[in-house]
Amino acid sequence: MNRPVTALLSALDALIVVAIGVGIPLIPLTLLWAIQFELAVDWLDFWRASGDLWLLGNGVDLALAIDPALALQLGVAGAEVPFTVGIAPLGLALVTVLLGVRSGRRLGATAYPVTGGAAGVLAFAGLGLLVGLGSTAVGAAPSLTQAALLPALVYALGLVVGYATNPRRTPSFEFGPASALRMRGSAAVKRVDERDRGLLGLALRAGTIAAAAVVGFSALAMALILVTNFSPIVALYEGLQAGVLGGVSLTLAQLALLPNLIVWTASWFVGPGFALGTGSAVSPLGTQLGLVPALPVLGALPEGTPALGFVGLLVPVAAGFIAAAVLRPALTQRVQGRPGALWRTLATAGLAGAVGAGILTLLALASQGAAGPGRLADVGPDAGWVLLCAFGEFTVAMLLGFATGAVRRTDASRSAAADTL
């Protein structure tokens, strides 16, 4: 394919991704409009709601203004004045990233991935702005600046991951082996000792493994919590009396929030926990809640102070220790017999801890935000505390893992010397 065709197909890919993302909430809402509302409501209201939900899921803030009479009926403090909803249902962002990965892998098979990627991101930015303009209504207005930027950035992340993970990508004519930028970068990298470059890569891998282990364990724990708290969740469903279609729509909304809940669970294991409103806290130290949104999944929240709450803090420690144990032989090859081996080991553990903590902090930032007026403006984990706690836990655990390996090697050397004597 030549350059114009690559750009055109990338823009078409962006259009398909936007259509799928908006269609996910639009399909159940359209069924709700046709069956439960019997076509009595303007369908454009449901289209605008779908566009708002898609934009919200990709990080765009939504400014809302509720009629004062309705706000009085809701009984939520602060609902009578305009407020902003900024919490992103990360399930919708995950769809954008995964579809972007697919597009990025396809770009890897072309000779013009930079042109194609740029065309796709620019098309996505324009489409995001169009969705924002089409979703603006009285009482609900997404930020148009964010609509033109943030969904495109989410899609660009998927493109980069997809291109980087395509093992069969073709050499790029734009950024190939002979490009000046690549040659300068290669020269700068070669000036660093090969073993130190290996330590940098090892730290990146260790931090990523530790963060992935915490998130993976949190997903399993979340699944177990939902299963064991099935009865209170069903009771909340019954109390809402939303009907079949309303229940299906509510379930889909909670599935979109499931990645947020997994990140909040990871924050609980790290230590800071998360908030469901100003002044509330859900952490290993205990649960303090006021009024919370009427979501059935929140029926699985722990009550009081868990008897074994502090045991959860062992999860990030174990994740860091295991990451160090897995990569310990690679570390030994790069530091053994070199001057400053101890400092290199300490620096590697510290950098790995920073990488793992940084990943969890970015996830915490993405999962938090304002969920409504008043006290609901503070929902999710405190990213600053997540960064501090995760860095300390990961770094100490990795140091212990590396030190344990050193002790074992020393004991083995002494045994070998004794056998020789």
Side-chain angles (χ1 to χ4, degrees):
M1 290 187 295
N2 57 27
R3 195 188 302 263
V5 173
T6 301
L8 180 61
L9 291 178
S10 296
L12 181 60
D13 256 1
L15 175 61
I16 294 172
V17 173
V18 172
I20 293 174
V22 176
I24 289 175
L26 182 59
I27 291 174
L29 288 179
T30 299
L31 292 174
L32 198 66
W33 167 73
I35 298 175
Q36 191 156 332
F37 289 92
E38 299 179 348
L39 313 182
V41 183
D42 188 358
W43 178 81
L44 289 177
D45 292 337
F46 292 89
W47 154 256
R48 296 188 188 98
S50 300
D52 288 336
L53 287 173
W54 179 77
L55 291 171
L56 185 66
N58 286 278
V60 178
D61 291 342
L62 181 63
L64 297 176
I66 300 178
D67 181 75
L70 177 59
L72 185 62
Q73 292 178 3
L74 292 174
V76 178
E80 67 279 359
V81 297
F83 59 93
T84 299
V85 174
I87 188 168
L90 294 181
L92 295 174
L94 183 61
V95 171
T96 302
V97 170
L98 292 177
L99 293 175
V101 169
R102 169 184 167 274
S103 299
R105 292 178 68 86
R106 292 179 60 180
L107 281 176
T110 69
Y112 304 99
V114 177
T115 297
V121 171
L122 288 175
F124 210 92
L127 291 167
L129 180 59
L130 288 177
V131 172
L133 290 170
S135 303
T136 302
V138 177
S143 170
L144 296 182
T145 302
Q146 293 181 359
L149 294 177
L150 296 182
L153 289 177
V154 175
Y155 182 64
L157 174 63
L159 288 179
V160 172
V161 173
Y163 177 77
T165 55
N166 185 356
R168 298 182 179 180
R169 59 180 180 270
T170 57
S172 170
F173 293 163
E174 305 162 301
F175 195 62
S179 69
L181 184 61
R182 182 184 286 270
M183 291 176 67
R184 292 195 200 99
S186 298
V189 169
K190 288 179 180 178
R191 284 195 288 268
V192 180
D193 187 275
E194 182 180 359
R195 289 173 293 181
D196 289 334
R197 295 202 306 267
L199 288 177
L200 177 61
L202 188 146
L204 292 175
R205 292 198 303 273
T208 303
I209 290 172
V214 172
V215 174
F217 186 86
S218 300
L220 292 175
M222 189 69 214
L224 181 62
I225 290 170
L226 292 177
V227 170
T228 55
N229 290 275
F230 183 74
S231 296
I233 292 174
V234 171
L236 286 173
Y237 265 109
E238 294 173 346
L240 290 174
Q241 298 180 349
V244 176
L245 285 177
V248 171
S249 300
L250 183 60
T251 301
L252 290 176
Q254 292 177 107
L255 287 175
L257 283 169
L258 187 58
N260 300 65
L261 299 177
I262 292 173
V263 174
W264 297 356
T265 305
S267 177
W268 191 93
F269 283 123
V270 170
F274 56 93
L276 285 174
T278 304
S280 67
V282 182
S283 73
L285 296 177
T287 300
Q288 297 177 349
L289 295 176
L291 293 175
V292 297
L295 287 176
V297 71
L298 297 182
L301 287 173
E303 297 180 0
T305 302
L308 300 176
F310 284 102
V311 175
L313 298 176
L314 295 177
V315 171
V317 174
F321 187 88
I322 291 172
V326 170
L327 298 174
R328 187 171 56 217
L331 176 75
T332 303
Q333 292 177 358
R334 289 167 174 81
V335 302
Q336 195 169 29
R338 299 181 65 189
L342 175 61
W343 292 110
R344 283 183 166 85
T345 301
L346 292 174
T348 302
L351 181 57
V355 170
I359 292 173
L360 293 182
T361 301
L362 290 176
L363 291 175
L365 284 171
S367 70
Q368 68 179 13
R375 62 188 301 273
L376 292 179
D378 182 19
V379 173
D382 186 323
W385 279 110
V386 171
L387 176 63
L388 291 174
C389 294
F391 174 73
E393 291 161 352
F394 284 155
T395 302
V396 171
M398 289 181 186
L399 282 174
L400 289 174
F402 293 144
T404 300
V407 170
R408 289 178 179 176
R409 287 192 300 274
T410 302
D411 291 343
S413 301
R414 290 175 177 172
S415 298
D419 292 341
T420 301
L421 294 175

